Amino acid sequence: MTRTLRIAVRKFDAFESAIVRQFQDFAGSTGTDARLQIEPLELNPMHQALFVEGRLLDGSFDLTFLATDWLAEAQGAGLITDLSPFLEQAPPPDFPDGWSPSLLGLQRFAGGFWGMPYHDGPQCLIYRKDLLDAAGLAVPTTWEEFHAAAKRLHDPAAGHDGTVLALFPDGHNGFYDFCVHVWTRGGEPFDGDTRPSLVTPEAEAALDFIRTLAADRDAIAPDCAKLDSVQSGLLFCAGKVALMTNWFGFAALGETWAESRVKGLVDIAPLPCAGRGRSLSLNVFWVLAIAAGSRQKELAWRFLRHLGSPAMDRVTTLEGAIGVRRSTWADPEVNRIVPYYHKLDELHARARELPRHPRLSAIAAAVDAMLGKATTTATPSRDLLAQAQQQILDILR
């Protein structure tokens, strides 16, 4: 009897098309009598389905996409399966040396290994090299230069804005951007126990910058409060944004997406910094995990193992997502299509990680709420930071 493998997928065309192609290859090459059923979900509905509705326990899904900042929450609630026994018996080819160590650490905790990396792409500066060259601008290396370049390149009449922010309160990019801005100014928003340290000069400067940029109609795309990282990335690929800080994947998508208007015009660079801070990147990635309630874990692992092969990781990339194997990053054809793919190793070398905590989603929501107030009220940044810090302390109690 034909079995059905059910997967919860983060809604994104490249994820959906890649998984379908990869399962077809899996079933065909292994002779497995199975079919695939995917359920694409936006971020907030996905968290609701997995963590509130309990669909990782009731057999609704065998596999799920998980952002790494959800892993501690999922593991703590007993929603996902430890992959260590499967890895010991039948690891993917070249495991673990075929992957950067930065892609194998966040899911290794509590005595287990909780997800195989699937899609990566650390944050970086993504820019239209043709527009910078035409304006005689150097690639920004400081946040002040970034804002100035956005103002200089902002030209709605020509069809493009200077920059864009992903401020939709989904507990992801607004939170990520705030942490990046604190780090690149030499601050630390959280200690090793995830206790907040937000009432600092670095955090205040970070929040001031975000709210100033968000309010500058001569530099930024309109309605950023309605945009998540995917929507803002697609604006760039559609030729409507001159430069932005976002995930590497959207730079690559500009070269591979059939509807891209920026193919051959894109390049990337390290994120800007300010003051005594230094440039870095943020390492958040998507893994595939086996649902605790799956009744066909062996089949799920066989598919995961197949996804970890060099050929299938390359499919992830060629469909428009970002492969996670070093072999893909160095692949000559991949670098012909996306000329800066080899820079992923450099980005990973300077990547930072968010603290691992089962209440990280609630913490991110508190920062999102702070950003919402920062971009819609005149409340001083220091007061907003103090309020958010207290809210996070209450969450951690």
PDB file of all heavy atoms in Angstrom, residues 343-367:
ATOM      1  N   LYS A 343      31.020  33.046  -1.077  1.00  0.00           N
ATOM      2  CA  LYS A 343      31.209  33.926   0.068  1.00  0.00           C
ATOM      3  C   LYS A 343      30.486  33.430   1.320  1.00  0.00           C
ATOM      4  O   LYS A 343      30.646  34.013   2.398  1.00  0.00           O
ATOM      5  CB  LYS A 343      30.735  35.343  -0.268  1.00  0.00           C
ATOM      6  CG  LYS A 343      31.546  36.030  -1.359  1.00  0.00           C
ATOM      7  CD  LYS A 343      31.083  37.461  -1.599  1.00  0.00           C
ATOM      8  CE  LYS A 343      31.883  38.150  -2.694  1.00  0.00           C
ATOM      9  NZ  LYS A 343      31.433  39.549  -2.915  1.00  0.00           N
ATOM     10  N   LEU A 344      29.713  32.360   1.189  1.00  0.00           N
ATOM     11  CA  LEU A 344      28.990  31.851   2.355  1.00  0.00           C
ATOM     12  C   LEU A 344      29.941  31.404   3.459  1.00  0.00           C
ATOM     13  O   LEU A 344      29.645  31.575   4.637  1.00  0.00           O
ATOM     14  CB  LEU A 344      28.075  30.691   1.944  1.00  0.00           C
ATOM     15  CG  LEU A 344      26.710  31.111   1.392  1.00  0.00           C
ATOM     16  CD1 LEU A 344      26.005  29.938   0.745  1.00  0.00           C
ATOM     17  CD2 LEU A 344      25.857  31.721   2.499  1.00  0.00           C
ATOM     18  N   ASP A 345      31.075  30.822   3.079  1.00  0.00           N
ATOM     19  CA  ASP A 345      32.036  30.414   4.116  1.00  0.00           C
ATOM     20  C   ASP A 345      32.509  31.626   4.914  1.00  0.00           C
ATOM     21  O   ASP A 345      32.646  31.559   6.134  1.00  0.00           O
ATOM     22  CB  ASP A 345      33.234  29.694   3.482  1.00  0.00           C
ATOM     23  CG  ASP A 345      33.195  28.194   3.743  1.00  0.00           C
ATOM     24  OD1 ASP A 345      32.669  27.795   4.785  1.00  0.00           O
ATOM     25  OD2 ASP A 345      33.686  27.427   2.889  1.00  0.00           O
ATOM     26  N   GLU A 346      32.772  32.727   4.226  1.00  0.00           N
ATOM     27  CA  GLU A 346      33.218  33.949   4.909  1.00  0.00           C
ATOM     28  C   GLU A 346      32.135  34.480   5.828  1.00  0.00           C
ATOM     29  O   GLU A 346      32.416  34.907   6.966  1.00  0.00           O
ATOM     30  CB  GLU A 346      33.583  35.013   3.871  1.00  0.00           C
ATOM     31  CG  GLU A 346      33.994  36.355   4.478  1.00  0.00           C
ATOM     32  CD  GLU A 346      34.129  37.456   3.438  1.00  0.00           C
ATOM     33  OE1 GLU A 346      34.012  37.151   2.237  1.00  0.00           O
ATOM     34  OE2 GLU A 346      34.332  38.610   3.835  1.00  0.00           O
ATOM     35  N   LEU A 347      30.887  34.476   5.386  1.00  0.00           N
ATOM     36  CA  LEU A 347      29.797  34.951   6.226  1.00  0.00           C
ATOM     37  C   LEU A 347      29.653  34.084   7.475  1.00  0.00           C
ATOM     38  O   LEU A 347      29.425  34.583   8.578  1.00  0.00           O
ATOM     39  CB  LEU A 347      28.492  34.962   5.439  1.00  0.00           C
ATOM     40  CG  LEU A 347      28.389  35.975   4.302  1.00  0.00           C
ATOM     41  CD1 LEU A 347      27.081  35.801   3.548  1.00  0.00           C
ATOM     42  CD2 LEU A 347      28.509  37.405   4.827  1.00  0.00           C
ATOM     43  N   HIS A 348      29.781  32.774   7.302  1.00  0.00           N
ATOM     44  CA  HIS A 348      29.654  31.886   8.456  1.00  0.00           C
ATOM     45  C   HIS A 348      30.791  32.074   9.454  1.00  0.00           C
ATOM     46  O   HIS A 348      30.617  31.858  10.653  1.00  0.00           O
ATOM     47  CB  HIS A 348      29.579  30.433   7.996  1.00  0.00           C
ATOM     48  CG  HIS A 348      28.189  29.991   7.681  1.00  0.00           C
ATOM     49  ND1 HIS A 348      27.289  29.621   8.654  1.00  0.00           N
ATOM     50  CD2 HIS A 348      27.521  29.901   6.509  1.00  0.00           C
ATOM     51  CE1 HIS A 348      26.143  29.305   8.093  1.00  0.00           C
ATOM     52  NE2 HIS A 348      26.255  29.474   6.789  1.00  0.00           N
ATOM     53  N   ALA A 349      31.931  32.469   8.962  1.00  0.00           N
ATOM     54  CA  ALA A 349      33.079  32.655   9.864  1.00  0.00           C
ATOM     55  C   ALA A 349      32.842  33.777  10.865  1.00  0.00           C
ATOM     56  O   ALA A 349      33.458  33.806  11.930  1.00  0.00           O
ATOM     57  CB  ALA A 349      34.342  32.931   9.043  1.00  0.00           C
ATOM     58  N   ARG A 350      31.941  34.726  10.540  1.00  0.00           N
ATOM     59  CA  ARG A 350      31.690  35.857  11.434  1.00  0.00           C
ATOM     60  C   ARG A 350      30.250  35.849  11.963  1.00  0.00           C
ATOM     61  O   ARG A 350      29.740  36.864  12.416  1.00  0.00           O
ATOM     62  CB  ARG A 350      31.990  37.176  10.720  1.00  0.00           C
ATOM     63  CG  ARG A 350      31.130  37.443   9.507  1.00  0.00           C
ATOM     64  CD  ARG A 350      31.459  38.801   8.899  1.00  0.00           C
ATOM     65  NE  ARG A 350      32.674  38.766   8.102  1.00  0.00           N
ATOM     66  CZ  ARG A 350      33.412  39.832   7.825  1.00  0.00           C
ATOM     67  NH1 ARG A 350      33.064  41.011   8.277  1.00  0.00           N
ATOM     68  NH2 ARG A 350      34.497  39.727   7.083  1.00  0.00           N
ATOM     69  N   ALA A 351      29.593  34.690  11.893  1.00  0.00           N
ATOM     70  CA  ALA A 351      28.185  34.629  12.272  1.00  0.00           C
ATOM     71  C   ALA A 351      28.008  34.523  13.789  1.00  0.00           C
ATOM     72  O   ALA A 351      28.777  33.848  14.477  1.00  0.00           O
ATOM     73  CB  ALA A 351      27.507  33.443  11.600  1.00  0.00           C
ATOM     74  N   ARG A 352      26.987  35.205  14.302  1.00  0.00           N
ATOM     75  CA  ARG A 352      26.549  35.091  15.681  1.00  0.00           C
ATOM     76  C   ARG A 352      25.243  34.306  15.732  1.00  0.00           C
ATOM     77  O   ARG A 352      24.522  34.206  14.744  1.00  0.00           O
ATOM     78  CB  ARG A 352      26.317  36.486  16.290  1.00  0.00           C
ATOM     79  CG  ARG A 352      27.570  37.306  16.507  1.00  0.00           C
ATOM     80  CD  ARG A 352      28.381  36.806  17.703  1.00  0.00           C
ATOM     81  NE  ARG A 352      27.606  36.750  18.935  1.00  0.00           N
ATOM     82  CZ  ARG A 352      27.565  37.728  19.845  1.00  0.00           C
ATOM     83  NH1 ARG A 352      28.252  38.841  19.657  1.00  0.00           N
ATOM     84  NH2 ARG A 352      26.866  37.591  20.962  1.00  0.00           N
ATOM     85  N   GLU A 353      24.920  33.808  16.915  1.00  0.00           N
ATOM     86  CA  GLU A 353      23.695  33.041  17.089  1.00  0.00           C
ATOM     87  C   GLU A 353      22.853  33.648  18.199  1.00  0.00           C
ATOM     88  O   GLU A 353      23.382  34.234  19.156  1.00  0.00           O
ATOM     89  CB  GLU A 353      24.024  31.583  17.435  1.00  0.00           C
ATOM     90  CG  GLU A 353      24.791  30.862  16.333  1.00  0.00           C
ATOM     91  CD  GLU A 353      25.289  29.496  16.760  1.00  0.00           C
ATOM     92  OE1 GLU A 353      25.231  29.205  17.987  1.00  0.00           O
ATOM     93  OE2 GLU A 353      25.725  28.727  15.890  1.00  0.00           O
ATOM     94  N   LEU A 354      21.553  33.508  18.080  1.00  0.00           N
ATOM     95  CA  LEU A 354      20.649  33.934  19.132  1.00  0.00           C
ATOM     96  C   LEU A 354      20.719  32.957  20.295  1.00  0.00           C
ATOM     97  O   LEU A 354      21.078  31.789  20.116  1.00  0.00           O
ATOM     98  CB  LEU A 354      19.215  33.980  18.594  1.00  0.00           C
ATOM     99  CG  LEU A 354      18.947  35.017  17.506  1.00  0.00           C
ATOM    100  CD1 LEU A 354      17.590  34.748  16.866  1.00  0.00           C
ATOM    101  CD2 LEU A 354      18.986  36.414  18.091  1.00  0.00           C
ATOM    102  N   PRO A 355      20.378  33.405  21.495  1.00  0.00           N
ATOM    103  CA  PRO A 355      20.382  32.467  22.621  1.00  0.00           C
ATOM    104  C   PRO A 355      19.346  31.372  22.405  1.00  0.00           C
ATOM    105  O   PRO A 355      18.288  31.596  21.786  1.00  0.00           O
ATOM    106  CB  PRO A 355      20.024  33.352  23.819  1.00  0.00           C
ATOM    107  CG  PRO A 355      19.356  34.548  23.242  1.00  0.00           C
ATOM    108  CD  PRO A 355      19.977  34.769  21.901  1.00  0.00           C
ATOM    109  N   ARG A 356      19.635  30.183  22.868  1.00  0.00           N
ATOM    110  CA  ARG A 356      18.706  29.068  22.753  1.00  0.00           C
ATOM    111  C   ARG A 356      17.842  29.042  24.014  1.00  0.00           C
ATOM    112  O   ARG A 356      18.341  28.899  25.124  1.00  0.00           O
ATOM    113  CB  ARG A 356      19.481  27.762  22.617  1.00  0.00           C
ATOM    114  CG  ARG A 356      18.584  26.553  22.343  1.00  0.00           C
ATOM    115  CD  ARG A 356      19.344  25.249  22.481  1.00  0.00           C
ATOM    116  NE  ARG A 356      20.415  25.134  21.515  1.00  0.00           N
ATOM    117  CZ  ARG A 356      21.690  24.939  21.845  1.00  0.00           C
ATOM    118  NH1 ARG A 356      22.053  24.891  23.107  1.00  0.00           N
ATOM    119  NH2 ARG A 356      22.612  24.830  20.911  1.00  0.00           N
ATOM    120  N   HIS A 357      16.545  29.216  23.839  1.00  0.00           N
ATOM    121  CA  HIS A 357      15.654  29.267  24.994  1.00  0.00           C
ATOM    122  C   HIS A 357      14.251  28.835  24.568  1.00  0.00           C
ATOM    123  O   HIS A 357      13.783  29.236  23.491  1.00  0.00           O
ATOM    124  CB  HIS A 357      15.603  30.690  25.580  1.00  0.00           C
ATOM    125  CG  HIS A 357      15.028  30.762  26.955  1.00  0.00           C
ATOM    126  ND1 HIS A 357      13.670  30.740  27.191  1.00  0.00           N
ATOM    127  CD2 HIS A 357      15.616  30.832  28.176  1.00  0.00           C
ATOM    128  CE1 HIS A 357      13.451  30.810  28.499  1.00  0.00           C
ATOM    129  NE2 HIS A 357      14.610  30.857  29.108  1.00  0.00           N
ATOM    130  N   PRO A 358      13.550  28.039  25.403  1.00  0.00           N
ATOM    131  CA  PRO A 358      12.208  27.590  25.018  1.00  0.00           C
ATOM    132  C   PRO A 358      11.176  28.701  24.941  1.00  0.00           C
ATOM    133  O   PRO A 358      10.117  28.520  24.340  1.00  0.00           O
ATOM    134  CB  PRO A 358      11.843  26.573  26.106  1.00  0.00           C
ATOM    135  CG  PRO A 358      12.754  26.866  27.247  1.00  0.00           C
ATOM    136  CD  PRO A 358      14.006  27.386  26.649  1.00  0.00           C
ATOM    137  N   ARG A 359      11.463  29.884  25.529  1.00  0.00           N
ATOM    138  CA  ARG A 359      10.523  31.008  25.447  1.00  0.00           C
ATOM    139  C   ARG A 359      11.007  32.076  24.471  1.00  0.00           C
ATOM    140  O   ARG A 359      10.586  33.235  24.552  1.00  0.00           O
ATOM    141  CB  ARG A 359      10.337  31.654  26.835  1.00  0.00           C
ATOM    142  CG  ARG A 359       9.786  30.735  27.921  1.00  0.00           C
ATOM    143  CD  ARG A 359       8.395  30.188  27.597  1.00  0.00           C
ATOM    144  NE  ARG A 359       7.429  31.210  27.196  1.00  0.00           N
ATOM    145  CZ  ARG A 359       6.789  32.004  28.053  1.00  0.00           C
ATOM    146  NH1 ARG A 359       7.027  31.924  29.357  1.00  0.00           N
ATOM    147  NH2 ARG A 359       5.906  32.884  27.612  1.00  0.00           N
ATOM    148  N   LEU A 360      11.872  31.688  23.540  1.00  0.00           N
ATOM    149  CA  LEU A 360      12.436  32.682  22.632  1.00  0.00           C
ATOM    150  C   LEU A 360      11.357  33.341  21.775  1.00  0.00           C
ATOM    151  O   LEU A 360      11.457  34.521  21.454  1.00  0.00           O
ATOM    152  CB  LEU A 360      13.510  32.055  21.752  1.00  0.00           C
ATOM    153  CG  LEU A 360      14.409  33.044  20.993  1.00  0.00           C
ATOM    154  CD1 LEU A 360      15.191  33.912  21.959  1.00  0.00           C
ATOM    155  CD2 LEU A 360      15.365  32.312  20.056  1.00  0.00           C
ATOM    156  N   SER A 361      10.321  32.605  21.420  1.00  0.00           N
ATOM    157  CA  SER A 361       9.241  33.200  20.618  1.00  0.00           C
ATOM    158  C   SER A 361       8.558  34.323  21.389  1.00  0.00           C
ATOM    159  O   SER A 361       8.240  35.376  20.825  1.00  0.00           O
ATOM    160  CB  SER A 361       8.216  32.132  20.231  1.00  0.00           C
ATOM    161  OG  SER A 361       8.768  31.209  19.320  1.00  0.00           O
ATOM    162  N   ALA A 362       8.335  34.120  22.689  1.00  0.00           N
ATOM    163  CA  ALA A 362       7.713  35.165  23.507  1.00  0.00           C
ATOM    164  C   ALA A 362       8.649  36.350  23.684  1.00  0.00           C
ATOM    165  O   ALA A 362       8.216  37.512  23.683  1.00  0.00           O
ATOM    166  CB  ALA A 362       7.321  34.594  24.872  1.00  0.00           C
ATOM    167  N   ILE A 363       9.940  36.077  23.823  1.00  0.00           N
ATOM    168  CA  ILE A 363      10.929  37.149  23.931  1.00  0.00           C
ATOM    169  C   ILE A 363      10.953  37.970  22.645  1.00  0.00           C
ATOM    170  O   ILE A 363      10.971  39.209  22.670  1.00  0.00           O
ATOM    171  CB  ILE A 363      12.320  36.556  24.241  1.00  0.00           C
ATOM    172  CG1 ILE A 363      12.326  35.927  25.641  1.00  0.00           C
ATOM    173  CG2 ILE A 363      13.406  37.613  24.119  1.00  0.00           C
ATOM    174  CD1 ILE A 363      13.527  35.046  25.906  1.00  0.00           C
ATOM    175  N   ALA A 364      10.950  37.272  21.499  1.00  0.00           N
ATOM    176  CA  ALA A 364      10.935  37.968  20.209  1.00  0.00           C
ATOM    177  C   ALA A 364       9.680  38.821  20.060  1.00  0.00           C
ATOM    178  O   ALA A 364       9.735  39.935  19.516  1.00  0.00           O
ATOM    179  CB  ALA A 364      11.029  36.950  19.076  1.00  0.00           C
ATOM    180  N   ALA A 365       8.548  38.323  20.549  1.00  0.00           N
ATOM    181  CA  ALA A 365       7.307  39.093  20.469  1.00  0.00           C
ATOM    182  C   ALA A 365       7.403  40.370  21.283  1.00  0.00           C
ATOM    183  O   ALA A 365       6.871  41.419  20.881  1.00  0.00           O
ATOM    184  CB  ALA A 365       6.138  38.239  20.939  1.00  0.00           C
ATOM    185  N   ALA A 366       8.101  40.319  22.419  1.00  0.00           N
ATOM    186  CA  ALA A 366       8.281  41.525  23.239  1.00  0.00           C
ATOM    187  C   ALA A 366       9.122  42.557  22.496  1.00  0.00           C
ATOM    188  O   ALA A 366       8.846  43.766  22.553  1.00  0.00           O
ATOM    189  CB  ALA A 366       8.931  41.160  24.577  1.00  0.00           C
ATOM    190  N   VAL A 367      10.160  42.099  21.812  1.00  0.00           N
ATOM    191  CA  VAL A 367      10.984  43.027  21.029  1.00  0.00           C
ATOM    192  C   VAL A 367      10.187  43.569  19.845  1.00  0.00           C
ATOM    193  O   VAL A 367      10.285  44.755  19.519  1.00  0.00           O
ATOM    194  CB  VAL A 367      12.277  42.330  20.566  1.00  0.00           C
ATOM    195  CG1 VAL A 367      13.065  43.233  19.622  1.00  0.00           C
ATOM    196  CG2 VAL A 367      13.144  41.956  21.774  1.00  0.00           C
TER     197      VAL A 367
END
